[in-house]
Amino acid sequence: LSLFKRVAIIGFGLIGSSLARAIRANGLADSIVAIDRSAAVCARVKELGLADEVTQSIAEGVKGCDLAVIAVPVGAYSGVAIELGPHLPKECIVTDTGSVKQSCIEALLPHLSSPERLVPGHPIAGTEHSGPDAGFAELFRGRWCILTPLPQTGIRAVEKVAALWEGAGAAIEIMEPRRHDLVLAITSHLPHLIAYTIVGTATDLEEDTRNDVIKFSASGFRDFTRIAASDPVMWRDIFLNNREAVLEILQRFNEDITILQNAIRRGEGDFLQQKFTRSRSVRRRVIEAGQADPTAKS
Ligand code: NAP
């Protein structure tokens, strides 16, 4: 069933184009407008035929829309909000896909004229690839989409955005924005920081060793290189915009790793084994929760 007449998707990369594909595949809207500042992205979206209209102009693109979805890196939100605000049709709902919620809300809210239209969201689905070619309609199937409505957000708006994500195959969880940011700091942001660090440390080693690292990468390092191949702009923006939560989690992580470091130094095998056994049961719970797909992240 069609939920919206005309949906504008601002930022037509992995997430924006996947949502467009899912909307098309499931008949969730009558028409889709692709908006991207990049001429190359717009040309490619036309070639792929992913939208009914394609434009670089936010002002043009949102005309007549009843839903605007912001799917740009979180550092670009203020700029998008300034362009979007004055041109939003009266009844148009606004939602987003940003990986951080509190800072995104703060960037958007002052420009939307009526706060009840804003339904902040974050689909917990992605890959390390970017751009419109990387998207696919099934990306959100079996994944969570977290919505973090504000006290002012209209219930009808939340229901419609929830129905859109459910139509794309996702399950909805409602959360407080700050709680979202803390949970994601541990489940997604810290793991990416660790991956970037390990790959960076390995890359800093001399040429011979680096060759060996690539050669023997099957032994754990490979999984980190996949995570560390994620979009640099997107991840720069996530760390700058979720600074407090990431620093809090990082502090705890540093304390825990120091404990492991001491255990290794002192040869406390029992302690290490006990820690690793506990982790193994966490892996079992992730599999049982249906969240173990290797391509699903962030
Ligand atoms: P992406 O593939 O890099 O696509 C982002 C697109 O937005 C690019 O085409 C970019 O164009 C465009 N853009 C940037 N600034 C813009 C602006 N001011 N106006 C219009 N378009 C602009 O990124 P993505 O992976 O889809 O991520 C999009 C959002 O979803 C981010 O906020 C991210 O945090 C969130 N998210 C990502 C994942 C994931 O795993 N990738 C998962 C869940 C949520 P240029 O190429 O010119 O910069």
Side-chain angles (χ1 to χ4, degrees), residues 11-15 36-38 41 71-74 76 80 97-99 122-123 125-127 130-131 234 298:
F12 221 78
L14 169 73
I15 299 297
D36 202 288
R37 66 165 185 189
S38 152
V41 168
V72 300
V74 297
V80 165
T97 65
S99 307
H122 177 204
T127 73
S130 316
M234 169 183 155
S298 68

Short mmCIF file of all heavy atoms in Angstrom, two decimals, residues 11-15 36-38 41 71-74 76 80 97-99 122-123 125-127 130-131 234 298, ligand 1:
data_model
loop_
_atom_site.label_atom_id
_atom_site.label_comp_id
_atom_site.label_asym_id
_atom_site.label_seq_id
_atom_site.Cartn_x
_atom_site.Cartn_y
_atom_site.Cartn_z
N GLY A 11 20.34 13.15 -0.46
CA GLY A 11 21.54 12.34 -0.27
C GLY A 11 21.21 10.95 -0.78
O GLY A 11 20.52 10.18 -0.12
N PHE A 12 21.69 10.66 -2.00
CA PHE A 12 21.25 9.43 -2.66
C PHE A 12 22.40 8.43 -2.74
O PHE A 12 22.72 7.90 -3.79
CB PHE A 12 20.70 9.77 -4.05
CG PHE A 12 19.46 8.99 -4.39
CD1 PHE A 12 18.22 9.36 -3.87
CD2 PHE A 12 19.53 7.88 -5.22
CE1 PHE A 12 17.08 8.64 -4.19
CE2 PHE A 12 18.39 7.16 -5.54
CZ PHE A 12 17.17 7.54 -5.03
N GLY A 13 23.03 8.18 -1.59
CA GLY A 13 24.13 7.22 -1.54
C GLY A 13 23.64 5.84 -1.18
O GLY A 13 22.53 5.44 -1.58
N LEU A 14 24.44 5.10 -0.43
CA LEU A 14 24.08 3.73 -0.06
C LEU A 14 22.69 3.66 0.59
O LEU A 14 21.82 2.90 0.17
CB LEU A 14 25.12 3.17 0.93
CG LEU A 14 24.72 1.85 1.59
CD1 LEU A 14 24.81 0.70 0.59
CD2 LEU A 14 25.58 1.56 2.81
N ILE A 15 22.49 4.49 1.62
CA ILE A 15 21.25 4.40 2.39
C ILE A 15 20.07 5.01 1.63
O ILE A 15 19.01 4.39 1.51
CB ILE A 15 21.43 5.09 3.77
CG1 ILE A 15 22.54 4.40 4.58
CG2 ILE A 15 20.13 5.11 4.55
CD1 ILE A 15 22.28 2.96 4.95
N ASP A 36 20.56 15.17 -4.74
CA ASP A 36 21.95 15.01 -4.30
C ASP A 36 22.76 16.17 -4.84
O ASP A 36 22.56 16.61 -5.97
CB ASP A 36 22.52 13.67 -4.79
CG ASP A 36 23.72 13.24 -3.95
OD1 ASP A 36 24.80 13.87 -4.08
OD2 ASP A 36 23.58 12.29 -3.16
N ARG A 37 23.66 16.69 -4.00
CA ARG A 37 24.44 17.86 -4.42
C ARG A 37 25.44 17.49 -5.52
O ARG A 37 25.92 18.34 -6.25
CB ARG A 37 25.18 18.45 -3.24
CG ARG A 37 26.24 17.50 -2.69
CD ARG A 37 27.21 18.18 -1.77
NE ARG A 37 28.25 17.24 -1.39
CZ ARG A 37 29.14 17.48 -0.45
NH1 ARG A 37 29.11 18.62 0.20
NH2 ARG A 37 30.05 16.59 -0.17
N SER A 38 25.75 16.19 -5.61
CA SER A 38 26.76 15.75 -6.57
C SER A 38 26.14 15.49 -7.95
O SER A 38 25.22 14.68 -8.10
CB SER A 38 27.42 14.47 -6.03
OG SER A 38 27.89 13.68 -7.08
N VAL A 41 26.49 11.87 -8.97
CA VAL A 41 25.49 10.98 -8.34
C VAL A 41 24.15 11.13 -9.07
O VAL A 41 23.50 10.14 -9.42
CB VAL A 41 25.34 11.28 -6.83
CG1 VAL A 41 24.11 10.58 -6.25
CG2 VAL A 41 26.60 10.87 -6.08
N ALA A 71 19.41 11.81 4.07
CA ALA A 71 20.34 10.67 4.12
C ALA A 71 21.74 11.10 3.71
O ALA A 71 22.41 10.43 2.93
CB ALA A 71 19.82 9.53 3.23
N VAL A 72 22.16 12.26 4.23
CA VAL A 72 23.52 12.77 3.97
C VAL A 72 24.37 12.51 5.23
O VAL A 72 23.82 12.25 6.30
CB VAL A 72 23.51 14.28 3.65
CG1 VAL A 72 22.65 14.56 2.41
CG2 VAL A 72 23.00 15.10 4.84
N PRO A 73 25.70 12.60 5.12
CA PRO A 73 26.54 12.46 6.32
C PRO A 73 26.13 13.48 7.39
O PRO A 73 25.71 14.59 7.05
CB PRO A 73 27.95 12.75 5.79
CG PRO A 73 27.89 12.43 4.33
CD PRO A 73 26.50 12.79 3.90
N VAL A 74 26.23 13.11 8.65
CA VAL A 74 25.64 13.96 9.70
C VAL A 74 26.27 15.35 9.78
O VAL A 74 25.62 16.30 10.20
CB VAL A 74 25.62 13.25 11.08
CG1 VAL A 74 24.74 12.02 11.04
CG2 VAL A 74 27.00 12.88 11.55
N ALA A 76 26.72 17.26 7.37
CA ALA A 76 26.09 18.09 6.33
C ALA A 76 24.68 18.53 6.72
O ALA A 76 24.01 19.24 5.96
CB ALA A 76 26.06 17.32 5.00
N VAL A 80 21.98 21.34 4.96
CA VAL A 80 20.76 20.82 4.34
C VAL A 80 19.53 21.45 4.99
O VAL A 80 18.59 21.86 4.30
CB VAL A 80 20.71 19.27 4.46
CG1 VAL A 80 19.32 18.74 4.16
CG2 VAL A 80 21.74 18.64 3.53
N THR A 97 18.23 9.45 8.42
CA THR A 97 18.84 8.13 8.61
C THR A 97 20.16 8.22 9.36
O THR A 97 20.92 7.26 9.40
CB THR A 97 19.11 7.47 7.25
OG1 THR A 97 20.11 8.25 6.56
CG2 THR A 97 17.86 7.39 6.39
N GLY A 98 20.47 9.38 9.92
CA GLY A 98 21.79 9.64 10.50
C GLY A 98 22.17 8.70 11.64
O GLY A 98 21.33 8.33 12.46
N SER A 99 23.45 8.36 11.70
CA SER A 99 23.94 7.38 12.67
C SER A 99 24.06 7.94 14.08
O SER A 99 24.36 7.21 15.02
CB SER A 99 25.30 6.86 12.22
OG SER A 99 25.22 6.39 10.90
N HIS A 122 17.14 6.05 12.47
CA HIS A 122 18.43 5.45 12.12
C HIS A 122 18.25 3.97 11.81
O HIS A 122 18.04 3.17 12.73
CB HIS A 122 19.42 5.63 13.29
CG HIS A 122 20.75 4.99 13.04
ND1 HIS A 122 21.59 4.59 14.06
CD2 HIS A 122 21.38 4.66 11.89
CE1 HIS A 122 22.67 4.05 13.55
NE2 HIS A 122 22.58 4.07 12.23
N PRO A 123 18.32 3.59 10.52
CA PRO A 123 18.26 2.17 10.20
C PRO A 123 19.58 1.50 10.56
O PRO A 123 20.65 1.99 10.16
CB PRO A 123 18.05 2.17 8.68
CG PRO A 123 18.64 3.47 8.21
CD PRO A 123 18.50 4.45 9.34
N ALA A 125 21.48 -0.76 9.56
CA ALA A 125 21.80 -1.62 8.43
C ALA A 125 22.75 -0.85 7.54
O ALA A 125 22.58 0.36 7.37
CB ALA A 125 20.54 -1.96 7.65
N GLY A 126 23.71 -1.52 6.98
CA GLY A 126 24.62 -0.83 6.09
C GLY A 126 25.69 -1.78 5.60
O GLY A 126 25.70 -2.96 5.96
N THR A 127 26.57 -1.25 4.78
CA THR A 127 27.74 -2.02 4.35
C THR A 127 28.90 -1.04 4.36
O THR A 127 28.70 0.15 4.64
CB THR A 127 27.58 -2.58 2.91
OG1 THR A 127 27.72 -1.49 1.99
CG2 THR A 127 26.24 -3.26 2.71
N SER A 130 29.76 2.82 -0.47
CA SER A 130 29.02 4.07 -0.54
C SER A 130 28.47 4.28 -1.95
O SER A 130 28.88 3.60 -2.89
CB SER A 130 29.94 5.26 -0.24
OG SER A 130 30.75 5.00 0.85
N GLY A 131 27.61 5.27 -2.07
CA GLY A 131 27.12 5.69 -3.38
C GLY A 131 25.91 4.91 -3.86
O GLY A 131 25.57 3.87 -3.31
N MET A 234 31.71 9.92 6.35
CA MET A 234 30.62 9.51 7.23
C MET A 234 31.14 9.28 8.64
O MET A 234 30.57 9.75 9.63
CB MET A 234 29.98 8.24 6.68
CG MET A 234 29.01 7.58 7.63
SD MET A 234 28.37 6.05 6.93
CE MET A 234 27.95 5.17 8.42
N SER A 298 26.89 -0.94 11.42
CA SER A 298 26.56 0.44 11.79
C SER A 298 25.07 0.65 12.03
O SER A 298 24.59 1.71 12.17
CB SER A 298 27.09 1.44 10.79
OG SER A 298 26.47 1.37 9.59
P1 NAP B 1 26.94 7.87 1.11
O1 NAP B 1 26.79 6.58 0.36
O2 NAP B 1 28.29 8.51 1.17
O3 NAP B 1 25.90 8.91 0.48
C1 NAP B 1 25.72 10.21 0.97
C2 NAP B 1 25.29 11.09 -0.20
O4 NAP B 1 24.91 12.36 0.31
C3 NAP B 1 26.41 11.34 -1.20
O5 NAP B 1 25.93 11.18 -2.52
C4 NAP B 1 26.78 12.79 -0.93
O6 NAP B 1 27.29 13.47 -2.06
C5 NAP B 1 25.45 13.36 -0.55
N1 NAP B 1 25.58 14.61 0.15
C6 NAP B 1 26.53 15.00 1.02
N2 NAP B 1 26.27 16.26 1.44
C7 NAP B 1 25.14 16.64 0.81
C8 NAP B 1 24.39 17.83 0.82
N3 NAP B 1 24.76 18.87 1.58
N4 NAP B 1 23.27 17.90 0.05
C9 NAP B 1 22.89 16.87 -0.72
N5 NAP B 1 23.59 15.70 -0.78
C10 NAP B 1 24.70 15.61 -0.03
O7 NAP B 1 26.45 7.74 2.62
P2 NAP B 1 25.46 6.65 3.29
O8 NAP B 1 26.26 5.48 3.70
O9 NAP B 1 24.29 6.47 2.42
O10 NAP B 1 25.05 7.40 4.63
C11 NAP B 1 24.02 8.38 4.64
C12 NAP B 1 23.57 8.67 6.06
O11 NAP B 1 23.05 7.46 6.63
C13 NAP B 1 24.67 9.13 7.01
O12 NAP B 1 24.15 10.10 7.89
C14 NAP B 1 25.06 7.89 7.76
O13 NAP B 1 25.54 8.23 9.06
C15 NAP B 1 23.76 7.13 7.81
N6 NAP B 1 23.88 5.65 7.88
C16 NAP B 1 24.86 5.00 7.20
C17 NAP B 1 24.97 3.62 7.29
C18 NAP B 1 26.07 2.87 6.56
O14 NAP B 1 26.44 1.78 6.96
N7 NAP B 1 26.63 3.39 5.50
C19 NAP B 1 24.05 2.91 8.04
C20 NAP B 1 23.01 3.58 8.68
C21 NAP B 1 22.94 4.97 8.60
P3 NAP B 1 28.90 13.69 -2.22
O15 NAP B 1 29.40 12.41 -2.77
O16 NAP B 1 29.01 14.84 -3.14
O17 NAP B 1 29.45 13.98 -0.85
#
